[in-house]
Every structure is written in C-alpha cells, then in structure tokens.
Amino acid sequence: MLIEKSNGDILFPAGEGIFSRTMEHLRRWGLGKRARHHEGFPDDQPLNVVFATSLGGRAIATFSAPSNAAVQHANGDSPEGPMICPKHVFDPLLRAGAQDSGAADLRYEHELLDFVQQQGEVLATVRDNRSGQISQVRTQYLAACDGARSGVRKQLGIAYVGTFAEGHNFAVSFKAPALGPLIRERFGHPVLQLHTVNTPHRPYFTTVDGRDWWRMSMYITQDQDPDPKAAVQEAIGAPMEIEVIRAQPWSGHRVVAQRYREGRVFLLGDAAHLRWPKGGFGANTGVGDAVDLGWKLAATLDGWGGAALLDSYEAERRPIAVRNVNEAANNRVLDGRIAADALLDEASTQGEAARREAENRIHALRLREFSTQGVQLGYRYRQSRICVSDDSLEPPDDHMVYQSSTWPGCRAPHAWLEDGRSTLDLFGRGFVLMRFDGAAAVTPFQAAAEQRGVPFCEISLASSSIASLYERRYVLVRPDGHVAWRGDELPADALTVIDRIRGA
C-alpha cells in the first residue's frame, strides 16, 4: 500500500538523469523500453554539456554524449545505457508499472498522521485528505520514502549525520520557446546543459523536454531572494519571451541518516540521505535502496528470509549512500574552483590561450561528474554478512571507470547470450547459480535451497568468454543481481551457504 500526500503531480522538474543500473532494474520490471522511448524527451537529441563564458559569449569546453537512443548501445558493460527521462514522465511510469502489476494499492491524497509499533506489527493512522476520513492500517512493515523532511524519521528520533547547507541556490522552471534555437545558433548544436562561467551567480540551464521547457539554477547567498523572471532574463542576457512555471530556493547538503531501521520501520531515499545534485546520484541511490529492501522484504514475507536478512539492508545500503553523498559534495567543490575571468571573452591571442587553459581545467575538474560508470555499476556490498567472502583481493573501485567482477557483493556482469538476452535477464526472481563446469547433474545447492524453501535455479553456460568474465566455475547470484558466493569448487556444506545468503 502506498500512502502519498500529494495527488501525484510533479511540481518541479529535476532528477532526470537515470543511471544504467536503474535502467537495468526497469528492464527487469518490463519498463525499460517505455522509459527510454517516450514523448517527454527527443530520442535522437545528443546529451551534450557545454561550458561557456555566458549564453551570448564563447564556448570553452564541451562534454559530448550520445542521445537516449544511441547511448543504450554505446557501452558494453550493460544492456541498458543511462538516459534522460524527466520526472514528470518517470514518476507516472513507475506508477503505471505498479498499477499494471495488480499487486499495488496506491492511495494518493492520503496522509500518514501517526504510527505505532506494537506486538509484531505497525499500526498506522492514515487520513484521506479528500474526504477527511481517518482510518487505521495494520501492517507488518513500513518503508518511509517521505523525503528530506521525513516525519517518520523524526518520529523515530533518527538524526542525519553530516553537513547541512554547504551552499545556497535558486532554481526556476520556465518555458522559453526561443532559448533552444538561440543556443543551437550560438554553439552549433543542442545541449542538455549549458553552464556559464562569467555570468553573475554562475547560472546553468538544463533542458527539461528538449524543446521549450527549461530549468535554470544559480548560486546565491542565504539572504538573497531573487525575482524569478528577472533572474532568468539576466542569465539569458537577450530579450526573450519567458513564462515562469515555478521557482524555489534550495540548499545542498551532505548528510546520511544515523541508521536506516527501527524495528519494523525502514528509511529509504531522501529520508535516509541528502546530497548535492552534482552527478545525478539522488533518485538513483533511492531506487537502489528500494531494490535492496524490496527483495529482502519479499523473502521475509514469503517465509524463506532469515532473521538477519532485513538487518543487512542498512549494512549494505548506508555505505553506498555515504559514498555517493561524498562524491556529489566533491563535485560541488570542484565546480567552485572554476573562476570567472574577463579574459575568456577577449578576441585576442591572450584570450585564446586563456580559453585553452580553461578548457583543460574544466575537463580536469568536471569530467568526473559526467562520466560516472564506476558509480553507476561498480558499487559493491563490502563485508556484507549475506555475501560469502572468498578471501580474494577486492577489485579496483573507481568512480569513473567500471571494472566488471564477480567478487562477492559486486553486481554480476552483463554479457549477451546466444538467444539475444543479457545475462542480467536471468536474474530477479530468486537465486541463480551460474555454472561453467560442463556437468549435467544438479549441484548440492539445489537440494539445500529446496530444504529451506529458497527460490533457486541453476543455469549452465558453455561460452568461454562469459566463463572468463564470471571468473569462477560457479557464481551464485542474488535476486537483486549481486553476487552472493563464488568458487571453482562446490562447497562442502551447501546448506550452510544457503543459510548464510538468506540471512539465517
């Protein structure tokens, strides 16, 4: 049951960058194609990011990126490349997917007023804000995805740890039909984002729909309260028809909740971590939280999850939040090292030299924000109690470069099968033992899983290239696609391994 205070409308466009890993989850849920191909953003528009002195000034540096359609096949590490999907498209897509499943009870314009944990359940008090009717819901678990001001987190007395308001900003959502053509005329191609260096407050523009809808964000001081339309007009620097849709101040934080669980209540998404929107980590980290908790709740409710399985949610996801929150904060610091310089606009030998130097500096400082495949696919659940270590050396963990591995806790690698599917398409409903031993008989894992009621299957592959990619003769993959165990020999006691990975 979803309790959502709003009517589901998206009031402000943000969080449009969808990571490869999030797309892999959507693919598993049957929503991948619907997410990538939609009317909300042009399939064929390159996703270039440009740094310029100003909107009417000189281009300094460009980070080129393929379109939504092309990026899907641009990287061999995943069957699904990252993409741009506006929140007003993405959120209804998830909503439709939940409704189509037939298993979700979505209650919009309902508000959680209170909850009490008692006698193995959560008693929630809910108000229908349309009728005013108040009712009580008895449930086994409560998952709080109620954002930065999470009432659930506050009621539990769980504090954020870190630094609040490391900087202040002002953002405007607006329509400007002439802005896109102006950018194409001045810079030679459309952009996903245009960052300005010499314009006061360093405003940057992001296209929301690839057409006439834009978002502008700029740095301000805490005491500033800009006029939205005037701020946009000043940042554009040219007369243009502008329709302001919504404006709001916002602050960048670097905080993570002290803990993610209190009894039968769990924190996810912004209720558990807040960060700078530098790199697109927010929504994608939240989806990762939901995937991790989701399969563990399902296992618990289905009876095969062990008593310690739900404890592993915080142990696995909180370190990922710390990693991503710090990475976003670091991107903000690096952006602050790009300084305005009037020489960058000069049509002189000195100006040309300054622009070359600035281009090199921007690429050195900002590339990590726009090249995050290591963050997207390379996160792993170190020292997780439900992953069995093989005492091998952990593979390199780089925020920009992804290195595939079956080291326990890592995401199992993608490879194309002969029938056109990805190896990732084999995962999602239970545990999967990937076998590269050439044997026909089932392994002891099969009987052990049946004894414990664990959903399990074995898949034998003869491909030498996939065997090399998977590094061991046997690789046991969890329902979320992360490696639980691996080995070149079968374990002496398969039941012990099954009990470990199911959280017994």
Side-chain angles (χ1 to χ4, degrees):
M1 180 187 293
L2 172 71
I3 302 298
E4 168 57 48
K5 185 177 179 180
S6 77
N7 63 3
D9 289 347
I10 303 301
L11 299 180
F12 197 88
E16 63 278 337
I18 308 301
F19 282 177
S20 290
R21 187 59 176 145
T22 300
M23 283 301 299
E24 290 173 358
H25 297 315
L26 290 168
R27 177 189 181 96
R28 187 171 73 250
W29 303 330
L31 300 175
K33 290 182 179 179
R34 290 162 62 182
R36 190 173 297 280
H37 305 290
H38 52 78
E39 296 181 355
F41 196 90
D43 268 10
D44 57 353
Q45 178 169 314
L47 306 178
N48 301 323
V49 177
V50 172
F51 283 74
T53 55
S54 64
L55 200 150
R58 296 175 179 272
I60 303 173
T62 299
F63 296 91
S64 300
S67 65
N68 273 348
V71 75
Q72 183 175 7
H73 309 291
N75 192 307
D77 294 325
S78 174
E80 298 284 351
M83 66 159 194
I84 296 299
C85 185
K87 189 185 290 186
H88 66 275
V89 173
F90 189 72
D91 192 82
L93 173 73
L94 296 180
R95 180 176 180 171
Q99 291 171 327
D100 292 347
S101 74
D105 179 0
L106 308 183
R107 301 192 182 188
Y108 287 84
E109 297 183 87
H110 283 63
E111 185 175 356
L112 178 69
L113 300 179
D114 192 19
F115 66 91
V116 178
Q117 299 192 64
Q118 57 182 22
Q119 299 176 349
E121 66 177 14
V122 180
L123 180 63
T125 303
V126 176
R127 179 174 62 207
D128 182 341
N129 285 341
R130 296 165 300 184
S131 66
Q133 181 179 356
I134 295 177
S135 58
Q136 290 190 319
V137 179
R138 295 184 182 277
T139 180
Q140 294 190 57
Y141 297 98
L142 188 155
C145 314
D146 53 341
R149 297 179 177 87
S150 172
V152 173
R153 180 182 57 80
K154 292 174 182 177
Q155 183 170 331
L156 292 174
I158 298 175
Y160 283 130
V161 177
T163 308
F164 288 97
E166 292 184 329
H168 300 277
N169 309 262
F170 185 70
V172 184
S173 167
F174 65 98
K175 292 284 185 74
L179 182 55
L182 177 63
I183 289 175
R184 286 192 293 271
E185 176 187 343
R186 291 187 172 174
F187 301 104
H189 52 76
V191 301
L192 171 65
Q193 282 188 344
L194 176 69
H195 294 251
T196 64
V197 174
N198 282 351
T199 307
H201 304 294
R202 292 279 315 279
Y204 67 92
F205 299 87
T206 303
T207 179
V208 175
D209 63 356
R211 292 177 283 272
D212 61 347
W213 190 0
W214 294 82
R215 183 179 72 248
M216 184 203 74
S217 186
M218 64 185 191
Y219 295 118
I220 61 171
T221 58
Q222 187 173 7
D223 59 346
Q224 286 182 299
D225 184 21
D227 175 82
K229 190 168 186 176
V232 172
Q233 288 176 329
E234 181 182 2
I236 293 175
M240 182 178 298
E241 181 182 344
I242 296 168
E243 176 194 352
V244 172
I245 300 173
R246 190 179 179 90
Q248 59 187 40
W250 62 273
S251 297
H253 309 294
R254 188 177 64 85
V255 297
V256 177
Q258 285 178 319
R259 59 188 190 278
Y260 278 27
R261 178 186 185 184
E262 181 69 37
R264 292 178 171 267
V265 181
F266 301 85
L267 304 180
L268 299 83
D270 283 3
H273 40 77
L274 299 174
R275 78 237 49 81
W276 279 87
K278 294 288 188 184
F281 305 130
N284 292 285
T285 306
V287 170
D289 295 341
V291 168
D292 190 87
L293 180 60
W295 79 265
K296 294 169 181 176
L297 280 173
T300 302
L301 295 172
D302 288 344
W304 60 266
L309 185 60
L310 291 175
D311 287 335
S312 70
Y313 165 64
E314 177 183 323
E316 292 188 344
R317 292 304 302 174
R318 191 174 186 275
I320 305 304
V322 171
R323 177 190 195 231
N324 292 354
V325 162
N326 282 333
E327 181 64 22
N330 188 49
N331 286 337
R332 177 253 178 179
V333 170
L334 295 176
D335 183 59
R337 294 180 180 175
I338 300 173
D341 184 353
L343 189 58
L344 295 171
D345 274 311
E346 287 191 8
S348 63
T349 302
Q350 293 86 351
E352 182 63 31
R355 285 190 289 276
R356 286 196 301 270
E357 182 180 347
E359 179 182 21
N360 291 335
R361 183 171 177 79
I362 289 171
H363 274 279
L365 293 173
R366 298 304 307 281
L367 177 61
R368 64 188 296 144
E369 178 177 341
F370 308 114
S371 182
T372 59
Q373 201 72 344
V375 171
Q376 295 186 38
L377 300 177
Y379 66 87
R380 69 284 305 261
Y381 298 133
R382 295 181 176 89
Q383 300 176 336
S384 171
R385 287 190 170 186
I386 61 169
C387 294
V388 183
S389 172
D390 62 357
D391 296 324
S392 61
L393 187 66
E394 181 180 357
D397 181 11
D398 186 279
H399 62 277
M400 292 174 60
V401 180
Y402 167 69
Q403 178 173 313
S404 66
S405 177
T406 56
W407 189 77
C410 286
R411 158 194 172 271
H414 153 71
W416 291 112
L417 303 172
E418 290 183 357
D419 60 7
R421 291 181 298 165
S422 165
T423 50
L424 305 192
D425 296 331
L426 305 174
F427 313 137
R429 294 296 179 186
F431 285 87
V432 177
L433 180 66
M434 302 287 279
R435 296 180 56 177
F436 305 95
D437 59 354
V442 298
T443 72
F445 278 121
Q446 183 70 56
E450 290 178 0
Q451 183 175 342
R452 296 296 194 241
V454 175
F456 173 88
C457 71
E458 299 183 357
I459 295 178
S460 296
L461 296 178
S463 168
S464 59
S465 61
I466 299 179
S468 176
L469 185 67
Y470 271 67
E471 302 177 306
R472 300 291 190 274
R473 295 172 70 198
Y474 305 97
V475 178
L476 187 54
V477 182
R478 308 183 333 182
D480 62 348
H482 285 258
V483 175
W485 171 93
R486 67 176 182 175
D488 283 325
E489 303 294 335
L490 292 167
D493 187 351
L495 189 62
T496 296
V497 174
I498 290 294
D499 280 343
R500 171 80 173 270
I501 64 178
R502 71 183 184 89

